[in-house]
Amino acid sequence: MASATKATIDPREAEHFGKLAADWWNPKGSSAMLHRLNPARLGYIRAAVDAHWGGDSAGFAPLAGKTAIDVGCGAGLLAEPLARLGAKMTGIDAAPENIGAARAHAAATGLAIDYIAGGIEDLPGRSFDLVTSMEVIEHVTDPAAFVGALAGALAEGGLMLLSTPNRTLASHLAMITLAEGTGAIPPGTHDWNKFLRPEELEELLAAAGLKVIDRTGLGFSPARGFVTGTSETLNYLVTVVRA
């Protein structure tokens, strides 16, 4: 960890996800839920990118010429499609096993992605046009410090997108009792008490000199799978810029 910053990585969380590394890219394995979430996330990110930089919504490389980092990248499930959208891509994750899996998969698919084992605090002085961090803040030891580090990595004029579960009774039932209880999500993945309500996350972002310009729910439809634009009861995404 960089000595001048406060580490936000929780070693227990890193170990938990590191044990799942070999199975990340199996769409029917322990990360199946993330595979199912990815299309909805990507759709939201793509719309935000097009709106922010005035891109052609039909273009294939809206992130061409842009630098991007996915913080808490796992084995690259989001980093790889962002690289395919043209970004000069970096992925960083606390679990070295995840980074090993990410590098191997990127090499096999011919993608040049800079994968780093560590935390966002390990990159002082580096900034990126696009910063993403999906389902990560609920796993760190100090959310305020983590948001501050994310803010430090956001370039002037840049765009940040975050997603996280909401702390509601419904999310406890759906994600802890049912999903982890049945093994749909690996048991021990979540600590419901660390989930952030939208207003709590917005306060942390504001304290770091950031502002939310869009927020939407992420939910499940029996007919369509995971979709955005729904209730924020279970999960939500935010689009963030410098205040």
Side-chain angles (χ1 to χ4, degrees), residues 192-239:
W192 180 81
N193 293 301
K194 294 174 71 174
F195 290 3
L196 292 171
R197 295 191 178 102
E199 58 272 18
E200 293 170 339
L201 178 57
E202 292 203 19
E203 287 177 5
L204 294 176
L205 291 164
L210 304 170
K211 66 177 179 179
V212 173
I213 59 171
D214 186 70
R215 193 176 93 201
T216 189
L218 176 63
F220 184 79
S221 161
R224 300 167 57 200
F226 286 100
V227 291
T228 57
T230 65
S231 166
E232 299 175 349
T233 303
L234 296 180
N235 201 303
Y236 60 98
L237 300 106
V238 293
T239 302

mmCIF file of all heavy atoms in Angstrom, residues 192-239:
data_model
loop_
_atom_site.group_PDB
_atom_site.id
_atom_site.type_symbol
_atom_site.label_atom_id
_atom_site.label_comp_id
_atom_site.label_asym_id
_atom_site.label_seq_id
_atom_site.Cartn_x
_atom_site.Cartn_y
_atom_site.Cartn_z
ATOM 1 N N TRP A 192 -24.580 -7.322 5.046
ATOM 2 C CA TRP A 192 -25.684 -6.398 4.797
ATOM 3 C C TRP A 192 -25.487 -5.073 5.521
ATOM 4 O O TRP A 192 -25.893 -4.007 5.018
ATOM 5 C CB TRP A 192 -26.998 -7.050 5.223
ATOM 6 C CG TRP A 192 -28.212 -6.207 5.010
ATOM 7 C CD1 TRP A 192 -28.904 -6.023 3.846
ATOM 8 C CD2 TRP A 192 -28.897 -5.427 5.996
ATOM 9 N NE1 TRP A 192 -29.982 -5.180 4.052
ATOM 10 C CE2 TRP A 192 -29.992 -4.800 5.370
ATOM 11 C CE3 TRP A 192 -28.695 -5.208 7.373
ATOM 12 C CZ2 TRP A 192 -30.870 -3.967 6.036
ATOM 13 C CZ3 TRP A 192 -29.571 -4.377 8.045
ATOM 14 C CH2 TRP A 192 -30.649 -3.770 7.382
ATOM 15 N N ASN A 193 -24.872 -5.101 6.682
ATOM 16 C CA ASN A 193 -24.669 -3.875 7.448
ATOM 17 C C ASN A 193 -23.735 -2.887 6.758
ATOM 18 O O ASN A 193 -23.711 -1.705 7.108
ATOM 19 C CB ASN A 193 -24.126 -4.211 8.842
ATOM 20 C CG ASN A 193 -25.138 -4.958 9.688
ATOM 21 O OD1 ASN A 193 -26.227 -4.467 9.947
ATOM 22 N ND2 ASN A 193 -24.793 -6.167 10.100
ATOM 23 N N LYS A 194 -22.959 -3.368 5.770
ATOM 24 C CA LYS A 194 -22.037 -2.489 5.045
ATOM 25 C C LYS A 194 -22.654 -1.942 3.759
ATOM 26 O O LYS A 194 -22.028 -1.144 3.064
ATOM 27 C CB LYS A 194 -20.731 -3.239 4.727
ATOM 28 C CG LYS A 194 -19.947 -3.599 5.985
ATOM 29 C CD LYS A 194 -18.744 -4.472 5.681
ATOM 30 C CE LYS A 194 -17.643 -3.735 4.975
ATOM 31 N NZ LYS A 194 -16.424 -4.563 4.809
ATOM 32 N N PHE A 195 -23.887 -2.362 3.442
ATOM 33 C CA PHE A 195 -24.569 -1.797 2.279
ATOM 34 C C PHE A 195 -24.846 -0.319 2.539
ATOM 35 O O PHE A 195 -25.119 0.096 3.675
ATOM 36 C CB PHE A 195 -25.895 -2.507 2.023
ATOM 37 C CG PHE A 195 -25.773 -3.923 1.511
ATOM 38 C CD1 PHE A 195 -24.535 -4.541 1.363
ATOM 39 C CD2 PHE A 195 -26.908 -4.643 1.181
ATOM 40 C CE1 PHE A 195 -24.431 -5.844 0.905
ATOM 41 C CE2 PHE A 195 -26.828 -5.949 0.714
ATOM 42 C CZ PHE A 195 -25.591 -6.547 0.577
ATOM 43 N N LEU A 196 -24.801 0.488 1.484
ATOM 44 C CA LEU A 196 -25.032 1.931 1.601
ATOM 45 C C LEU A 196 -26.355 2.314 0.949
ATOM 46 O O LEU A 196 -26.642 1.912 -0.178
ATOM 47 C CB LEU A 196 -23.908 2.705 0.914
ATOM 48 C CG LEU A 196 -22.523 2.625 1.549
ATOM 49 C CD1 LEU A 196 -21.494 3.269 0.632
ATOM 50 C CD2 LEU A 196 -22.503 3.296 2.910
ATOM 51 N N ARG A 197 -27.141 3.100 1.668
ATOM 52 C CA ARG A 197 -28.325 3.682 1.050
ATOM 53 C C ARG A 197 -27.882 4.771 0.079
ATOM 54 O O ARG A 197 -26.810 5.376 0.246
ATOM 55 C CB ARG A 197 -29.243 4.256 2.125
ATOM 56 C CG ARG A 197 -29.831 3.209 3.063
ATOM 57 C CD ARG A 197 -30.927 3.823 3.924
ATOM 58 N NE ARG A 197 -31.536 2.813 4.795
ATOM 59 C CZ ARG A 197 -31.272 2.679 6.087
ATOM 60 N NH1 ARG A 197 -30.401 3.481 6.680
ATOM 61 N NH2 ARG A 197 -31.881 1.745 6.805
ATOM 62 N N PRO A 198 -28.677 5.069 -0.953
ATOM 63 C CA PRO A 198 -28.263 6.063 -1.962
ATOM 64 C C PRO A 198 -27.872 7.408 -1.363
ATOM 65 O O PRO A 198 -26.872 8.006 -1.780
ATOM 66 C CB PRO A 198 -29.506 6.180 -2.848
ATOM 67 C CG PRO A 198 -30.162 4.845 -2.743
ATOM 68 C CD PRO A 198 -29.942 4.408 -1.324
ATOM 69 N N GLU A 199 -28.625 7.872 -0.371
ATOM 70 C CA GLU A 199 -28.298 9.176 0.213
ATOM 71 C C GLU A 199 -26.976 9.129 0.973
ATOM 72 O O GLU A 199 -26.237 10.130 1.022
ATOM 73 C CB GLU A 199 -29.421 9.668 1.119
ATOM 74 C CG GLU A 199 -29.776 8.755 2.273
ATOM 75 C CD GLU A 199 -30.816 7.702 1.936
ATOM 76 O OE1 GLU A 199 -31.047 7.424 0.722
ATOM 77 O OE2 GLU A 199 -31.422 7.167 2.890
ATOM 78 N N GLU A 200 -26.633 7.981 1.527
ATOM 79 C CA GLU A 200 -25.353 7.846 2.229
ATOM 80 C C GLU A 200 -24.195 7.878 1.232
ATOM 81 O O GLU A 200 -23.167 8.527 1.482
ATOM 82 C CB GLU A 200 -25.333 6.537 3.019
ATOM 83 C CG GLU A 200 -26.320 6.507 4.174
ATOM 84 C CD GLU A 200 -26.476 5.133 4.801
ATOM 85 O OE1 GLU A 200 -26.154 4.111 4.144
ATOM 86 O OE2 GLU A 200 -26.914 5.075 5.968
ATOM 87 N N LEU A 201 -24.357 7.193 0.114
ATOM 88 C CA LEU A 201 -23.307 7.214 -0.911
ATOM 89 C C LEU A 201 -23.155 8.615 -1.481
ATOM 90 O O LEU A 201 -22.032 9.097 -1.685
ATOM 91 C CB LEU A 201 -23.635 6.214 -2.019
ATOM 92 C CG LEU A 201 -22.639 6.170 -3.178
ATOM 93 C CD1 LEU A 201 -21.226 5.866 -2.696
ATOM 94 C CD2 LEU A 201 -23.072 5.136 -4.226
ATOM 95 N N GLU A 202 -24.270 9.295 -1.719
ATOM 96 C CA GLU A 202 -24.193 10.642 -2.279
ATOM 97 C C GLU A 202 -23.483 11.600 -1.319
ATOM 98 O O GLU A 202 -22.751 12.491 -1.751
ATOM 99 C CB GLU A 202 -25.587 11.152 -2.640
ATOM 100 C CG GLU A 202 -26.199 10.386 -3.813
ATOM 101 C CD GLU A 202 -27.278 11.164 -4.534
ATOM 102 O OE1 GLU A 202 -27.325 12.408 -4.381
ATOM 103 O OE2 GLU A 202 -28.059 10.537 -5.266
ATOM 104 N N GLU A 203 -23.669 11.415 -0.022
ATOM 105 C CA GLU A 203 -22.969 12.251 0.958
ATOM 106 C C GLU A 203 -21.460 12.013 0.896
ATOM 107 O O GLU A 203 -20.665 12.963 0.964
ATOM 108 C CB GLU A 203 -23.490 11.955 2.363
ATOM 109 C CG GLU A 203 -24.873 12.502 2.647
ATOM 110 C CD GLU A 203 -25.371 12.128 4.027
ATOM 111 O OE1 GLU A 203 -24.588 11.522 4.799
ATOM 112 O OE2 GLU A 203 -26.531 12.438 4.348
ATOM 113 N N LEU A 204 -21.051 10.751 0.767
ATOM 114 C CA LEU A 204 -19.625 10.438 0.649
ATOM 115 C C LEU A 204 -19.032 11.047 -0.618
ATOM 116 O O LEU A 204 -17.917 11.586 -0.605
ATOM 117 C CB LEU A 204 -19.417 8.920 0.631
ATOM 118 C CG LEU A 204 -19.758 8.153 1.908
ATOM 119 C CD1 LEU A 204 -19.581 6.658 1.679
ATOM 120 C CD2 LEU A 204 -18.879 8.606 3.066
ATOM 121 N N LEU A 205 -19.771 10.963 -1.706
ATOM 122 C CA LEU A 205 -19.296 11.523 -2.975
ATOM 123 C C LEU A 205 -19.174 13.039 -2.885
ATOM 124 O O LEU A 205 -18.180 13.624 -3.336
ATOM 125 C CB LEU A 205 -20.243 11.115 -4.105
ATOM 126 C CG LEU A 205 -20.229 9.623 -4.462
ATOM 127 C CD1 LEU A 205 -21.450 9.256 -5.288
ATOM 128 C CD2 LEU A 205 -18.952 9.254 -5.207
ATOM 129 N N ALA A 206 -20.164 13.682 -2.281
ATOM 130 C CA ALA A 206 -20.124 15.141 -2.149
ATOM 131 C C ALA A 206 -18.930 15.582 -1.304
ATOM 132 O O ALA A 206 -18.264 16.577 -1.615
ATOM 133 C CB ALA A 206 -21.427 15.650 -1.535
ATOM 134 N N ALA A 207 -18.644 14.827 -0.253
ATOM 135 C CA ALA A 207 -17.514 15.164 0.610
ATOM 136 C C ALA A 207 -16.186 15.046 -0.117
ATOM 137 O O ALA A 207 -15.198 15.676 0.268
ATOM 138 C CB ALA A 207 -17.519 14.265 1.843
ATOM 139 N N ALA A 208 -16.166 14.242 -1.191
ATOM 140 C CA ALA A 208 -14.949 14.059 -1.978
ATOM 141 C C ALA A 208 -14.896 14.980 -3.194
ATOM 142 O O ALA A 208 -14.038 14.823 -4.062
ATOM 143 C CB ALA A 208 -14.844 12.602 -2.433
ATOM 144 N N GLY A 209 -15.825 15.940 -3.257
ATOM 145 C CA GLY A 209 -15.825 16.890 -4.365
ATOM 146 C C GLY A 209 -16.472 16.376 -5.623
ATOM 147 O O GLY A 209 -16.179 16.850 -6.725
ATOM 148 N N LEU A 210 -17.381 15.429 -5.469
ATOM 149 C CA LEU A 210 -18.066 14.822 -6.612
ATOM 150 C C LEU A 210 -19.563 15.062 -6.498
ATOM 151 O O LEU A 210 -20.082 15.368 -5.434
ATOM 152 C CB LEU A 210 -17.786 13.316 -6.659
ATOM 153 C CG LEU A 210 -16.314 12.896 -6.693
ATOM 154 C CD1 LEU A 210 -16.179 11.389 -6.481
ATOM 155 C CD2 LEU A 210 -15.668 13.312 -8.010
ATOM 156 N N LYS A 211 -20.257 14.906 -7.607
ATOM 157 C CA LYS A 211 -21.721 15.026 -7.559
ATOM 158 C C LYS A 211 -22.352 13.972 -8.460
ATOM 159 O O LYS A 211 -21.802 13.592 -9.503
ATOM 160 C CB LYS A 211 -22.171 16.417 -7.974
ATOM 161 C CG LYS A 211 -21.910 16.784 -9.430
ATOM 162 C CD LYS A 211 -22.469 18.174 -9.750
ATOM 163 C CE LYS A 211 -22.199 18.561 -11.207
ATOM 164 N NZ LYS A 211 -22.763 19.899 -11.529
ATOM 165 N N VAL A 212 -23.516 13.496 -8.042
ATOM 166 C CA VAL A 212 -24.267 12.506 -8.813
ATOM 167 C C VAL A 212 -25.147 13.237 -9.820
ATOM 168 O O VAL A 212 -25.921 14.132 -9.447
ATOM 169 C CB VAL A 212 -25.126 11.635 -7.873
ATOM 170 C CG1 VAL A 212 -26.050 10.725 -8.675
ATOM 171 C CG2 VAL A 212 -24.229 10.804 -6.959
ATOM 172 N N ILE A 213 -25.040 12.872 -11.094
ATOM 173 C CA ILE A 213 -25.870 13.499 -12.124
ATOM 174 C C ILE A 213 -26.947 12.549 -12.631
ATOM 175 O O ILE A 213 -27.848 12.967 -13.357
ATOM 176 C CB ILE A 213 -25.016 14.013 -13.304
ATOM 177 C CG1 ILE A 213 -24.214 12.881 -13.951
ATOM 178 C CG2 ILE A 213 -24.103 15.148 -12.844
ATOM 179 C CD1 ILE A 213 -23.522 13.289 -15.247
ATOM 180 N N ASP A 214 -26.858 11.288 -12.237
ATOM 181 C CA ASP A 214 -27.920 10.348 -12.585
ATOM 182 C C ASP A 214 -27.871 9.181 -11.609
ATOM 183 O O ASP A 214 -26.789 8.786 -11.155
ATOM 184 C CB ASP A 214 -27.771 9.823 -14.017
ATOM 185 C CG ASP A 214 -28.950 8.960 -14.434
ATOM 186 O OD1 ASP A 214 -30.048 9.511 -14.617
ATOM 187 O OD2 ASP A 214 -28.795 7.725 -14.542
ATOM 188 N N ARG A 215 -29.049 8.650 -11.296
ATOM 189 C CA ARG A 215 -29.146 7.490 -10.425
ATOM 190 C C ARG A 215 -30.317 6.639 -10.873
ATOM 191 O O ARG A 215 -31.373 7.175 -11.215
ATOM 192 C CB ARG A 215 -29.365 7.960 -8.977
ATOM 193 C CG ARG A 215 -29.169 6.891 -7.928
ATOM 194 C CD ARG A 215 -29.303 7.495 -6.540
ATOM 195 N NE ARG A 215 -30.657 7.403 -6.019
ATOM 196 C CZ ARG A 215 -31.144 8.175 -5.052
ATOM 197 N NH1 ARG A 215 -30.387 9.127 -4.525
ATOM 198 N NH2 ARG A 215 -32.370 8.015 -4.619
ATOM 199 N N THR A 216 -30.110 5.338 -10.898
ATOM 200 C CA THR A 216 -31.194 4.464 -11.327
ATOM 201 C C THR A 216 -31.136 3.144 -10.584
ATOM 202 O O THR A 216 -30.065 2.711 -10.150
ATOM 203 C CB THR A 216 -31.134 4.212 -12.848
ATOM 204 O OG1 THR A 216 -32.325 3.538 -13.270
ATOM 205 C CG2 THR A 216 -29.934 3.346 -13.214
ATOM 206 N N GLY A 217 -32.275 2.526 -10.440
ATOM 207 C CA GLY A 217 -32.327 1.223 -9.805
ATOM 208 C C GLY A 217 -31.877 0.115 -10.741
ATOM 209 O O GLY A 217 -31.947 0.235 -11.965
ATOM 210 N N LEU A 218 -31.399 -0.952 -10.145
ATOM 211 C CA LEU A 218 -31.017 -2.152 -10.888
ATOM 212 C C LEU A 218 -31.783 -3.305 -10.249
ATOM 213 O O LEU A 218 -31.588 -3.610 -9.072
ATOM 214 C CB LEU A 218 -29.510 -2.384 -10.792
ATOM 215 C CG LEU A 218 -28.937 -3.641 -11.438
ATOM 216 C CD1 LEU A 218 -29.156 -3.618 -12.950
ATOM 217 C CD2 LEU A 218 -27.446 -3.768 -11.142
ATOM 218 N N GLY A 219 -32.669 -3.894 -11.017
ATOM 219 C CA GLY A 219 -33.516 -4.943 -10.461
ATOM 220 C C GLY A 219 -33.658 -6.112 -11.404
ATOM 221 O O GLY A 219 -33.031 -6.164 -12.468
ATOM 222 N N PHE A 220 -34.493 -7.065 -11.009
ATOM 223 C CA PHE A 220 -34.649 -8.293 -11.787
ATOM 224 C C PHE A 220 -36.065 -8.404 -12.322
ATOM 225 O O PHE A 220 -37.040 -8.225 -11.582
ATOM 226 C CB PHE A 220 -34.329 -9.518 -10.924
ATOM 227 C CG PHE A 220 -34.373 -10.817 -11.683
ATOM 228 C CD1 PHE A 220 -33.312 -11.189 -12.495
ATOM 229 C CD2 PHE A 220 -35.481 -11.650 -11.602
ATOM 230 C CE1 PHE A 220 -33.349 -12.379 -13.209
ATOM 231 C CE2 PHE A 220 -35.531 -12.838 -12.303
ATOM 232 C CZ PHE A 220 -34.460 -13.205 -13.114
ATOM 233 N N SER A 221 -36.148 -8.697 -13.611
ATOM 234 C CA SER A 221 -37.433 -8.943 -14.261
ATOM 235 C C SER A 221 -37.472 -10.403 -14.698
ATOM 236 O O SER A 221 -36.567 -10.861 -15.397
ATOM 237 C CB SER A 221 -37.592 -8.033 -15.486
ATOM 238 O OG SER A 221 -38.582 -8.530 -16.358
ATOM 239 N N PRO A 222 -38.505 -11.155 -14.315
ATOM 240 C CA PRO A 222 -38.588 -12.560 -14.737
ATOM 241 C C PRO A 222 -38.536 -12.726 -16.257
ATOM 242 O O PRO A 222 -38.015 -13.722 -16.757
ATOM 243 C CB PRO A 222 -39.943 -13.014 -14.173
ATOM 244 C CG PRO A 222 -40.181 -12.115 -13.013
ATOM 245 C CD PRO A 222 -39.616 -10.781 -13.416
ATOM 246 N N ALA A 223 -39.035 -11.726 -16.971
ATOM 247 C CA ALA A 223 -39.070 -11.828 -18.429
ATOM 248 C C ALA A 223 -37.774 -11.382 -19.084
ATOM 249 O O ALA A 223 -37.362 -11.925 -20.112
ATOM 250 C CB ALA A 223 -40.236 -10.997 -18.973
ATOM 251 N N ARG A 224 -37.095 -10.393 -18.482
ATOM 252 C CA ARG A 224 -35.945 -9.769 -19.142
ATOM 253 C C ARG A 224 -34.626 -9.962 -18.400
ATOM 254 O O ARG A 224 -33.572 -9.564 -18.893
ATOM 255 C CB ARG A 224 -36.219 -8.273 -19.320
ATOM 256 C CG ARG A 224 -37.441 -7.969 -20.170
ATOM 257 C CD ARG A 224 -37.858 -6.511 -20.054
ATOM 258 N NE ARG A 224 -36.781 -5.600 -20.414
ATOM 259 C CZ ARG A 224 -36.738 -4.327 -20.049
ATOM 260 N NH1 ARG A 224 -37.690 -3.818 -19.274
ATOM 261 N NH2 ARG A 224 -35.729 -3.557 -20.428
ATOM 262 N N GLY A 225 -34.657 -10.535 -17.216
ATOM 263 C CA GLY A 225 -33.433 -10.650 -16.427
ATOM 264 C C GLY A 225 -33.155 -9.347 -15.706
ATOM 265 O O GLY A 225 -34.068 -8.598 -15.374
ATOM 266 N N PHE A 226 -31.872 -9.042 -15.465
ATOM 267 C CA PHE A 226 -31.517 -7.812 -14.765
ATOM 268 C C PHE A 226 -31.689 -6.609 -15.689
ATOM 269 O O PHE A 226 -31.245 -6.625 -16.833
ATOM 270 C CB PHE A 226 -30.083 -7.878 -14.250
ATOM 271 C CG PHE A 226 -29.935 -8.778 -13.055
ATOM 272 C CD1 PHE A 226 -29.456 -10.071 -13.206
ATOM 273 C CD2 PHE A 226 -30.297 -8.352 -11.789
ATOM 274 C CE1 PHE A 226 -29.330 -10.915 -12.110
ATOM 275 C CE2 PHE A 226 -30.186 -9.185 -10.691
ATOM 276 C CZ PHE A 226 -29.704 -10.468 -10.851
ATOM 277 N N VAL A 227 -32.360 -5.581 -15.159
ATOM 278 C CA VAL A 227 -32.653 -4.387 -15.955
ATOM 279 C C VAL A 227 -32.432 -3.146 -15.092
ATOM 280 O O VAL A 227 -32.571 -3.181 -13.866
ATOM 281 C CB VAL A 227 -34.107 -4.391 -16.484
ATOM 282 C CG1 VAL A 227 -34.299 -5.466 -17.535
ATOM 283 C CG2 VAL A 227 -35.104 -4.577 -15.345
ATOM 284 N N THR A 228 -32.093 -2.043 -15.750
ATOM 285 C CA THR A 228 -31.981 -0.751 -15.062
ATOM 286 C C THR A 228 -33.307 -0.004 -15.187
ATOM 287 O O THR A 228 -34.198 -0.398 -15.932
ATOM 288 C CB THR A 228 -30.849 0.093 -15.655
ATOM 289 O OG1 THR A 228 -31.086 0.266 -17.058
ATOM 290 C CG2 THR A 228 -29.506 -0.581 -15.449
ATOM 291 N N GLY A 229 -33.405 1.088 -14.434
ATOM 292 C CA GLY A 229 -34.617 1.887 -14.494
ATOM 293 C C GLY A 229 -35.725 1.348 -13.619
ATOM 294 O O GLY A 229 -36.880 1.759 -13.748
ATOM 295 N N THR A 230 -35.387 0.450 -12.720
ATOM 296 C CA THR A 230 -36.376 -0.139 -11.829
ATOM 297 C C THR A 230 -36.274 0.506 -10.451
ATOM 298 O O THR A 230 -35.566 1.491 -10.261
ATOM 299 C CB THR A 230 -36.142 -1.652 -11.699
ATOM 300 O OG1 THR A 230 -34.873 -1.866 -11.058
ATOM 301 C CG2 THR A 230 -36.110 -2.329 -13.058
ATOM 302 N N SER A 231 -36.945 -0.079 -9.482
ATOM 303 C CA SER A 231 -36.841 0.375 -8.098
ATOM 304 C C SER A 231 -35.405 0.244 -7.608
ATOM 305 O O SER A 231 -34.669 -0.655 -8.021
ATOM 306 C CB SER A 231 -37.765 -0.466 -7.218
ATOM 307 O OG SER A 231 -37.458 -0.292 -5.848
ATOM 308 N N GLU A 232 -35.006 1.148 -6.708
ATOM 309 C CA GLU A 232 -33.672 1.108 -6.115
ATOM 310 C C GLU A 232 -33.621 0.222 -4.871
ATOM 311 O O GLU A 232 -32.612 0.188 -4.176
ATOM 312 C CB GLU A 232 -33.217 2.519 -5.748
ATOM 313 C CG GLU A 232 -33.131 3.462 -6.930
ATOM 314 C CD GLU A 232 -32.807 4.886 -6.524
ATOM 315 O OE1 GLU A 232 -32.857 5.177 -5.304
ATOM 316 O OE2 GLU A 232 -32.509 5.710 -7.399
ATOM 317 N N THR A 233 -34.681 -0.504 -4.610
ATOM 318 C CA THR A 233 -34.794 -1.270 -3.374
ATOM 319 C C THR A 233 -33.667 -2.278 -3.191
ATOM 320 O O THR A 233 -33.157 -2.467 -2.090
ATOM 321 C CB THR A 233 -36.149 -2.006 -3.321
ATOM 322 O OG1 THR A 233 -37.189 -1.048 -3.452
ATOM 323 C CG2 THR A 233 -36.317 -2.754 -2.007
ATOM 324 N N LEU A 234 -33.269 -2.946 -4.283
ATOM 325 C CA LEU A 234 -32.235 -3.976 -4.184
ATOM 326 C C LEU A 234 -30.846 -3.431 -4.486
ATOM 327 O O LEU A 234 -29.892 -3.698 -3.766
ATOM 328 C CB LEU A 234 -32.556 -5.130 -5.132
ATOM 329 C CG LEU A 234 -33.830 -5.915 -4.853
ATOM 330 C CD1 LEU A 234 -33.995 -7.029 -5.889
ATOM 331 C CD2 LEU A 234 -33.822 -6.495 -3.451
ATOM 332 N N ASN A 235 -30.723 -2.693 -5.568
ATOM 333 C CA ASN A 235 -29.411 -2.284 -6.053
ATOM 334 C C ASN A 235 -29.597 -1.022 -6.889
ATOM 335 O O ASN A 235 -30.685 -0.781 -7.414
ATOM 336 C CB ASN A 235 -28.813 -3.407 -6.914
ATOM 337 C CG ASN A 235 -27.309 -3.328 -7.039
ATOM 338 O OD1 ASN A 235 -26.779 -2.327 -7.480
ATOM 339 N ND2 ASN A 235 -26.613 -4.388 -6.667
ATOM 340 N N TYR A 236 -28.544 -0.230 -7.009
ATOM 341 C CA TYR A 236 -28.658 0.989 -7.804
ATOM 342 C C TYR A 236 -27.303 1.356 -8.405
ATOM 343 O O TYR A 236 -26.246 0.889 -7.956
ATOM 344 C CB TYR A 236 -29.202 2.146 -6.961
ATOM 345 C CG TYR A 236 -28.352 2.500 -5.761
ATOM 346 C CD1 TYR A 236 -27.440 3.561 -5.794
ATOM 347 C CD2 TYR A 236 -28.466 1.778 -4.563
ATOM 348 C CE1 TYR A 236 -26.666 3.877 -4.689
ATOM 349 C CE2 TYR A 236 -27.692 2.096 -3.447
ATOM 350 C CZ TYR A 236 -26.806 3.152 -3.527
ATOM 351 O OH TYR A 236 -26.036 3.464 -2.437
ATOM 352 N N LEU A 237 -27.364 2.177 -9.450
ATOM 353 C CA LEU A 237 -26.166 2.684 -10.114
ATOM 354 C C LEU A 237 -26.204 4.207 -10.081
ATOM 355 O O LEU A 237 -27.286 4.803 -10.122
ATOM 356 C CB LEU A 237 -26.088 2.216 -11.572
ATOM 357 C CG LEU A 237 -26.052 0.729 -11.854
ATOM 358 C CD1 LEU A 237 -27.400 0.274 -12.408
ATOM 359 C CD2 LEU A 237 -24.947 0.409 -12.857
ATOM 360 N N VAL A 238 -25.013 4.800 -10.031
ATOM 361 C CA VAL A 238 -24.928 6.256 -10.071
ATOM 362 C C VAL A 238 -23.907 6.684 -11.118
ATOM 363 O O VAL A 238 -22.891 6.021 -11.339
ATOM 364 C CB VAL A 238 -24.558 6.875 -8.710
ATOM 365 C CG1 VAL A 238 -25.679 6.675 -7.699
ATOM 366 C CG2 VAL A 238 -23.256 6.290 -8.166
ATOM 367 N N THR A 239 -24.199 7.799 -11.764
ATOM 368 C CA THR A 239 -23.268 8.459 -12.678
ATOM 369 C C THR A 239 -22.746 9.700 -11.961
ATOM 370 O O THR A 239 -23.532 10.504 -11.449
ATOM 371 C CB THR A 239 -23.955 8.850 -13.986
ATOM 372 O OG1 THR A 239 -24.505 7.691 -14.596
ATOM 373 C CG2 THR A 239 -22.974 9.502 -14.951
#
